[in-house]
Amino acid sequence: MQKRFVSVLFVLILLFFSPISALTPPPSLESQVNSSNFIALAKLSNVKESKISSNSISVTANVEILKSLKGGKELPQKFDIAFLIFPELFGKWLKAAPQEGDYILFLIKKKVKDSKGVESEVISLYEPHPYAFREYNKQLEENILSLTKN
């Protein structure tokens, strides 16, 4: 009985002290493409980052759509984004605000309710948000385009 207790305690300690990032593996590209309503080559500019606590960062940025790769008819050409980053939760993915530049941006449609309970649909970053951004390269664009055609 005591041996079992020690084993369970050891496993609990390992789980407690193991990196949380192991709990949130990045999705495959195919999964991201299939789960996204919109995918676009976008230019991020005016990126601003504010530390709001010891474990979280608030980010705002301007987005300009350069090229739609999926579902672009409803996507505005320019818009602003705001999101939070929790560096300890997502391993190497987005520990800090993205730099200004070109990214493949994954977006979803999301239902939200206003203060009066009226439901509407908005365009939002892919969730979890750190996986909404991938640095642009031509090969990634071609891979996404081939996945959207299948």
Side-chain angles (χ1 to χ4, degrees):
M1 180 71 176
Q2 187 177 8
K3 203 174 201 182
R4 182 179 166 103
F5 175 76
V6 170
S7 296
V8 169
L9 183 62
F10 179 72
V11 169
L12 288 173
I13 290 170
L14 276 177
L15 288 174
F16 181 76
F17 287 107
S18 67
I20 295 174
S21 62
L23 300 175
T24 57
S28 68
L29 181 61
E30 184 174 2
S31 172
Q32 270 186 295
V33 168
N34 292 335
S35 300
S36 297
N37 300 103
F38 306 98
I39 304 171
L41 168 56
K43 179 175 282 304
L44 264 58
S45 61
N46 200 25
V47 177
K48 294 184 180 162
E49 151 181 356
S50 309
K51 192 164 181 124
I52 57 174
S53 75
S54 62
N55 295 326
S56 58
I57 301 165
S58 171
V59 179
T60 60
N62 302 120
V63 175
E64 179 183 357
I65 302 301
L66 303 175
K67 180 179 181 183
S68 174
L69 305 177
K70 180 180 178 185
K73 292 181 176 91
E74 296 175 51
L75 198 56
Q77 286 304 110
K78 291 184 178 185
F79 54 94
D80 297 330
I81 57 172
F83 58 96
L84 294 175
I85 297 174
F86 301 97
E88 71 281 359
L89 294 180
F90 295 101
K92 68 177 184 146
W93 289 78
L94 209 59
K95 286 188 174 236
Q99 301 295 310
E100 293 187 5
D102 294 347
Y103 291 85
I104 298 290
L105 195 58
F106 296 86
L107 303 158
I108 58 172
K109 290 182 182 178
K110 189 173 185 177
K111 292 190 180 197
V112 295
K113 287 185 182 181
D114 66 13
S115 61
K116 294 180 182 176
V118 177
E119 192 174 272
S120 61
E121 198 170 67
V122 297
I123 297 172
S124 176
L125 292 173
Y126 179 93
E127 294 174 349
H129 297 151
Y131 305 129
F133 304 89
R134 288 205 184 197
E135 287 188 33
Y136 174 77
N137 67 60
K138 188 67 175 167
Q139 182 62 49
L140 177 60
E141 179 183 355
E142 290 170 0
N143 290 346
I144 290 169
L145 289 172
S146 75
L147 288 169
T148 60
K149 290 178 183 173
N150 295 335

